[in-house]
Amino acid sequence: MEDINIEHWIERMKEGDPSGFRVIYEWSFPEIYRSVVFLMTEKNEIEDVMNEIYFQLWRSIDNYDAKRPFRFWMHGIALKQIQKWRTKSWRRFRIFEKKRLLEVEEHIFSDRQVLEAETHQEMLTIVHQLSYKLRTVIILRYYHDYTFDEIAELLNIPAGTVKSRHHAALEKLRKLSPYCEAEKEKELYVH
């Protein structure tokens, strides 16, 4: 910043004279711009930050303390605006990143829900082919994680009967399973 009678132009700017702002802008721009270029990592945002700096200069010129060097005050404005911009950028980045992760999680969750629904429907169709007694044991054992003794107590039957029904239900499920059919077909071609 070359020497000019900056106080004169500051006074004119405070009085609302646009030429005061223009002179201060032209006088300070090269040095402020150089600082912003070195401090900003996002080159495409430099112009926006420069606009913010000079907008803040226009808004806060009445707060300038003439006992302090104007150049120092101007750099303070520049640094504050750069920091504000970095904070905003970081927030935007975090928001976009969270949004992206949520979309990925939502997509995975949706796919998982569809897969579980299809599997559930297939399983429901197969389990419904079991007799009520066998189906009850399977549901209590695998959907509710009860032990054989707990199932026996719930159904008021001996534990041996529960185990027998469990074994019979699994045998029937193996026969009804489409995967089991594919295995049977493989065995026919192998032999």
Side-chain angles (χ1 to χ4, degrees), residues 131-188:
S131 69
Y132 177 76
K133 290 179 179 181
L134 299 181
R135 187 171 53 229
T136 304
V137 170
I138 292 298
I139 297 301
L140 291 173
R141 179 80 174 130
Y142 295 105
Y143 281 83
H144 300 293
D145 293 322
Y146 286 116
T147 65
F148 291 129
D149 291 334
E150 291 169 327
I151 295 169
E153 187 177 332
L154 278 170
L155 298 178
N156 200 22
I157 57 175
T161 304
V162 171
K163 289 177 186 176
S164 172
R165 288 180 185 176
H166 178 260
H167 179 72
L170 290 180
E171 283 296 314
K172 184 131 182 153
L173 286 173
R174 283 187 194 103
K175 289 177 186 171
L176 294 171
S177 169
Y179 304 109
C180 207
E181 290 298 320
E183 290 299 315
K184 285 180 193 173
E185 285 181 25
K186 270 196 229 175
E187 286 179 24
L188 289 175

Side-chain angles (χ1 to χ4, degrees), residues 91-106:
R91 284 186 190 138
R92 280 192 305 267
F93 169 77
R94 286 182 33 215
I95 288 168
F96 288 132
E97 190 61 20
K98 282 181 182 178
K99 183 178 182 292
R100 186 186 67 76
L101 289 173
L102 285 174
E103 287 172 351
V104 169
E105 287 174 6
E106 189 176 287

Side-chain angles (χ1 to χ4, degrees), residues 46-88:
I46 290 172
E47 186 178 335
D48 292 332
V49 172
M50 290 298 293
N51 289 337
E52 288 294 322
I53 290 168
Y54 283 98
F55 176 72
Q56 190 61 38
L57 167 66
W58 179 261
R59 286 184 56 201
S60 61
I61 193 67
D62 290 330
N63 299 332
Y64 169 65
D65 180 5
K67 295 175 190 163
R68 301 185 67 170
F70 180 77
R71 186 173 175 261
F72 182 79
W73 184 74
M74 191 66 200
H75 277 107
I77 290 174
L79 292 173
K80 285 177 189 167
Q81 293 307 312
I82 291 168
Q83 188 55 43
K84 274 185 177 180
W85 198 266
R86 290 183 60 192
T87 302
K88 284 179 190 175

Side-chain angles (χ1 to χ4, degrees), residues 7-24:
E7 288 79 21
H8 168 73
W9 296 108
I10 291 171
E11 283 306 313
R12 288 187 61 182
M13 190 175 157
K14 283 182 177 182
E15 293 168 1
D17 183 356
S19 65
F21 178 79
R22 185 178 44 78
V23 169
I24 292 171

